[in-house]
Amino acid sequence: MQPVLVPEPENLNIQEMEKLVSSWFNDRPLPQSYIFPPETRPGNHTIPRCNSIPVVDLSKASGHDRTTIVQQILTASREFGFFQVVNHGVSENLVNDTMNVFKEFFELSAEDKAGVYSEDPKRPCRLYTSSPNYDRENVHLWRDNLRHPCHPLEECIKIWPQKPTRYRETVAAYSIEAKKLGLRILEFVSEGLGLSSGFFGDDLSESVILSVNHYPPCPDPSLTLGVPKHCDPNLLTILHQGDIYGLQVFKDGEWIGVEPMHNAFVVNIGLQLQIISNNMLKSAEHRAVTNSKVARTTAAFFISPVDDCIIEPVKSIINTDESPAYRAFSYKEFLLNYIPTTGNSEKSLEPFKLHA
Ligand code: OGA
Ligand code: NI
């Protein structure tokens, strides 16, 4: 009798991993399945690349300028839903080390990445390509993604990648600092909204997911996208976009490019913060475009409510002549509805709106 050859799970992964954009982008023109419809593709027109999103200097926040910083953050969160922070207290060396470790991760051999690759969206730590919906989506996204939880750290770290060897140590240090920065910004936001100190602590911000995007050079950036137009579903996102351009924010019906700033983080208001603030703060739509020259690696740190956390507009900030714009719901319910809307903010908010 012939022995039956049962493929090892890792070998199976290696076959599936051929779907990763990073494994084939060099060999082919842009496949049809990556071409976005004309109305959503970036096209060839020039998008203004300016620093028109506000920049907040956090070094001023400790002294008598604190109120100014709180006001700057509040105004930026109301008008743009986006801002950059500089002098944020996270060491430049740590940020550089972390971004380098992420780049090295994507450069590992297929064998080294096989243990992390998974097409099962329920797996908490995984490398995959495009969106969690690869088999059902109309168009694939020009990106690979590594994603895992970061809290509680002692538990999560055990499921993180083991290669590069510095991964766990470096990313652990980074996630502690990024969470601290996020909570500090949330503290400014709560002060600006007149809420009690620590309002956004605990359940509202306890879940932290790190999402590392890798966008290889693309044969035709005008036809495809790394991440299509969306709002982040969570509370607050702290993004490090490395030093390569690609992030665009939709403001007043137009796209504006967010030029990378040295040693800065991009902060954006998630949909939960928009809801809790009863639409006072805005979660802005944004997307990532690709480029034809160099790979771009970005790290999004999603500060999110725990699944069973109840979200609703805070009563104390609603004026007497206004009513709450949303009903109460659990974050889990929100996420279940968010995924099929592919990030469309109107569609994902609709089931939770109260119509006056
Ligand atoms: C995201 C995102 C933008 C970027 O991951 O949600 O918006 O520039 N990323 O990678
Ligand atoms: Ni986003």
PDB file of all heavy atoms in Angstrom, residues 213 215 230 232 239 247 286 288 296 298 300 302, ligand 1:
ATOM      1  N   ASN A 213       0.086  47.258   9.062  1.00  0.00           N
ATOM      2  CA  ASN A 213      -0.206  47.181   7.634  1.00  0.00           C
ATOM      3  C   ASN A 213       1.088  47.178   6.849  1.00  0.00           C
ATOM      4  O   ASN A 213       2.002  47.949   7.152  1.00  0.00           O
ATOM      5  CB  ASN A 213      -1.005  48.415   7.191  1.00  0.00           C
ATOM      6  CG  ASN A 213      -2.372  48.469   7.820  1.00  0.00           C
ATOM      7  OD1 ASN A 213      -3.172  47.557   7.640  1.00  0.00           O
ATOM      8  ND2 ASN A 213      -2.646  49.517   8.590  1.00  0.00           N
ATOM      9  N   TYR A 215       2.222  47.572   2.862  1.00  0.00           N
ATOM     10  CA  TYR A 215       1.801  47.846   1.489  1.00  0.00           C
ATOM     11  C   TYR A 215       3.020  47.738   0.580  1.00  0.00           C
ATOM     12  O   TYR A 215       3.832  48.676   0.527  1.00  0.00           O
ATOM     13  CB  TYR A 215       1.224  49.260   1.385  1.00  0.00           C
ATOM     14  CG  TYR A 215       0.203  49.642   2.455  1.00  0.00           C
ATOM     15  CD1 TYR A 215       0.578  50.384   3.588  1.00  0.00           C
ATOM     16  CD2 TYR A 215      -1.141  49.291   2.324  1.00  0.00           C
ATOM     17  CE1 TYR A 215      -0.354  50.752   4.559  1.00  0.00           C
ATOM     18  CE2 TYR A 215      -2.074  49.661   3.292  1.00  0.00           C
ATOM     19  CZ  TYR A 215      -1.669  50.387   4.402  1.00  0.00           C
ATOM     20  OH  TYR A 215      -2.585  50.751   5.354  1.00  0.00           O
ATOM     21  N   HIS A 230     -12.818  54.522   5.072  1.00  0.00           N
ATOM     22  CA  HIS A 230     -13.492  53.953   6.248  1.00  0.00           C
ATOM     23  C   HIS A 230     -13.309  54.870   7.456  1.00  0.00           C
ATOM     24  O   HIS A 230     -12.441  55.746   7.445  1.00  0.00           O
ATOM     25  CB  HIS A 230     -12.885  52.582   6.598  1.00  0.00           C
ATOM     26  CG  HIS A 230     -11.473  52.678   7.113  1.00  0.00           C
ATOM     27  ND1 HIS A 230     -10.394  52.948   6.298  1.00  0.00           N
ATOM     28  CD2 HIS A 230     -10.954  52.595   8.372  1.00  0.00           C
ATOM     29  CE1 HIS A 230      -9.283  52.999   7.022  1.00  0.00           C
ATOM     30  NE2 HIS A 230      -9.592  52.798   8.299  1.00  0.00           N
ATOM     31  N   ASP A 232     -12.571  54.358  11.623  1.00  0.00           N
ATOM     32  CA  ASP A 232     -12.185  53.299  12.557  1.00  0.00           C
ATOM     33  C   ASP A 232     -13.340  53.066  13.537  1.00  0.00           C
ATOM     34  O   ASP A 232     -13.931  54.023  14.037  1.00  0.00           O
ATOM     35  CB  ASP A 232     -10.904  53.707  13.309  1.00  0.00           C
ATOM     36  CG  ASP A 232      -9.688  53.733  12.382  1.00  0.00           C
ATOM     37  OD1 ASP A 232      -9.819  53.324  11.211  1.00  0.00           O
ATOM     38  OD2 ASP A 232      -8.607  54.164  12.831  1.00  0.00           O
ATOM     39  N   LEU A 239      -1.772  56.096  15.309  1.00  0.00           N
ATOM     40  CA  LEU A 239      -1.138  55.504  14.128  1.00  0.00           C
ATOM     41  C   LEU A 239       0.283  56.016  13.952  1.00  0.00           C
ATOM     42  O   LEU A 239       0.530  57.217  14.031  1.00  0.00           O
ATOM     43  CB  LEU A 239      -1.968  55.852  12.882  1.00  0.00           C
ATOM     44  CG  LEU A 239      -1.391  55.386  11.542  1.00  0.00           C
ATOM     45  CD1 LEU A 239      -1.780  53.931  11.262  1.00  0.00           C
ATOM     46  CD2 LEU A 239      -1.867  56.260  10.393  1.00  0.00           C
ATOM     47  N   LEU A 247      -1.342  58.085   3.658  1.00  0.00           N
ATOM     48  CA  LEU A 247      -2.604  58.297   4.376  1.00  0.00           C
ATOM     49  C   LEU A 247      -3.335  59.529   3.844  1.00  0.00           C
ATOM     50  O   LEU A 247      -2.730  60.577   3.661  1.00  0.00           O
ATOM     51  CB  LEU A 247      -2.309  58.473   5.876  1.00  0.00           C
ATOM     52  CG  LEU A 247      -3.491  58.818   6.783  1.00  0.00           C
ATOM     53  CD1 LEU A 247      -4.507  57.677   6.840  1.00  0.00           C
ATOM     54  CD2 LEU A 247      -3.008  59.150   8.192  1.00  0.00           C
ATOM     55  N   HIS A 286     -11.088  57.972   6.162  1.00  0.00           N
ATOM     56  CA  HIS A 286      -9.715  58.037   5.660  1.00  0.00           C
ATOM     57  C   HIS A 286      -9.421  56.788   4.848  1.00  0.00           C
ATOM     58  O   HIS A 286     -10.214  55.829   4.872  1.00  0.00           O
ATOM     59  CB  HIS A 286      -8.728  58.199   6.827  1.00  0.00           C
ATOM     60  CG  HIS A 286      -8.850  57.156   7.898  1.00  0.00           C
ATOM     61  ND1 HIS A 286      -9.872  57.132   8.826  1.00  0.00           N
ATOM     62  CD2 HIS A 286      -8.087  56.067   8.189  1.00  0.00           C
ATOM     63  CE1 HIS A 286      -9.718  56.103   9.631  1.00  0.00           C
ATOM     64  NE2 HIS A 286      -8.635  55.429   9.265  1.00  0.00           N
ATOM     65  N   ALA A 288      -5.865  54.486   2.736  1.00  0.00           N
ATOM     66  CA  ALA A 288      -4.423  54.413   2.468  1.00  0.00           C
ATOM     67  C   ALA A 288      -4.224  54.120   0.996  1.00  0.00           C
ATOM     68  O   ALA A 288      -4.757  53.129   0.472  1.00  0.00           O
ATOM     69  CB  ALA A 288      -3.769  53.330   3.323  1.00  0.00           C
ATOM     70  N   ARG A 296       5.551  50.325   2.169  1.00  0.00           N
ATOM     71  CA  ARG A 296       5.171  51.200   3.290  1.00  0.00           C
ATOM     72  C   ARG A 296       4.615  50.331   4.411  1.00  0.00           C
ATOM     73  O   ARG A 296       3.763  49.477   4.165  1.00  0.00           O
ATOM     74  CB  ARG A 296       4.130  52.200   2.794  1.00  0.00           C
ATOM     75  CG  ARG A 296       3.542  53.099   3.868  1.00  0.00           C
ATOM     76  CD  ARG A 296       2.720  54.230   3.219  1.00  0.00           C
ATOM     77  NE  ARG A 296       2.201  55.101   4.246  1.00  0.00           N
ATOM     78  CZ  ARG A 296       0.962  55.046   4.743  1.00  0.00           C
ATOM     79  NH1 ARG A 296       0.100  54.151   4.259  1.00  0.00           N
ATOM     80  NH2 ARG A 296       0.572  55.861   5.689  1.00  0.00           N
ATOM     81  N   THR A 298       2.921  50.518   8.273  1.00  0.00           N
ATOM     82  CA  THR A 298       2.331  51.414   9.273  1.00  0.00           C
ATOM     83  C   THR A 298       1.806  50.592  10.447  1.00  0.00           C
ATOM     84  O   THR A 298       1.482  49.411  10.285  1.00  0.00           O
ATOM     85  CB  THR A 298       1.155  52.228   8.687  1.00  0.00           C
ATOM     86  OG1 THR A 298       0.061  51.346   8.399  1.00  0.00           O
ATOM     87  CG2 THR A 298       1.541  52.968   7.417  1.00  0.00           C
ATOM     88  N   ALA A 300      -1.079  50.659  13.373  1.00  0.00           N
ATOM     89  CA  ALA A 300      -2.261  51.285  13.985  1.00  0.00           C
ATOM     90  C   ALA A 300      -2.512  50.602  15.325  1.00  0.00           C
ATOM     91  O   ALA A 300      -2.557  49.379  15.413  1.00  0.00           O
ATOM     92  CB  ALA A 300      -3.473  51.134  13.080  1.00  0.00           C
ATOM     93  N   PHE A 302      -5.192  50.315  18.014  1.00  0.00           N
ATOM     94  CA  PHE A 302      -6.619  50.608  18.184  1.00  0.00           C
ATOM     95  C   PHE A 302      -7.016  50.480  19.648  1.00  0.00           C
ATOM     96  O   PHE A 302      -7.092  49.370  20.186  1.00  0.00           O
ATOM     97  CB  PHE A 302      -7.471  49.619  17.382  1.00  0.00           C
ATOM     98  CG  PHE A 302      -7.314  49.720  15.889  1.00  0.00           C
ATOM     99  CD1 PHE A 302      -6.937  48.611  15.138  1.00  0.00           C
ATOM    100  CD2 PHE A 302      -7.555  50.910  15.223  1.00  0.00           C
ATOM    101  CE1 PHE A 302      -6.799  48.691  13.754  1.00  0.00           C
ATOM    102  CE2 PHE A 302      -7.429  51.004  13.844  1.00  0.00           C
ATOM    103  CZ  PHE A 302      -7.041  49.887  13.107  1.00  0.00           C
TER     104      PHE A 302
HETATM  105  C1  OGA B   1      -6.141  51.564   9.443  1.00  0.00           C
HETATM  106  C2  OGA B   1      -5.704  52.722   8.628  1.00  0.00           C
HETATM  107  C3  OGA B   1      -3.937  53.883   7.453  1.00  0.00           C
HETATM  108  C4  OGA B   1      -2.509  53.733   7.018  1.00  0.00           C
HETATM  109  O1  OGA B   1      -5.338  50.616   9.573  1.00  0.00           O
HETATM  110  O2  OGA B   1      -7.281  51.604   9.950  1.00  0.00           O
HETATM  111  O3  OGA B   1      -6.505  53.598   8.421  1.00  0.00           O
HETATM  112  O4  OGA B   1      -1.951  54.736   6.587  1.00  0.00           O
HETATM  113  N1  OGA B   1      -4.437  52.761   8.166  1.00  0.00           N
HETATM  114  O5  OGA B   1      -1.983  52.613   7.090  1.00  0.00           O
END
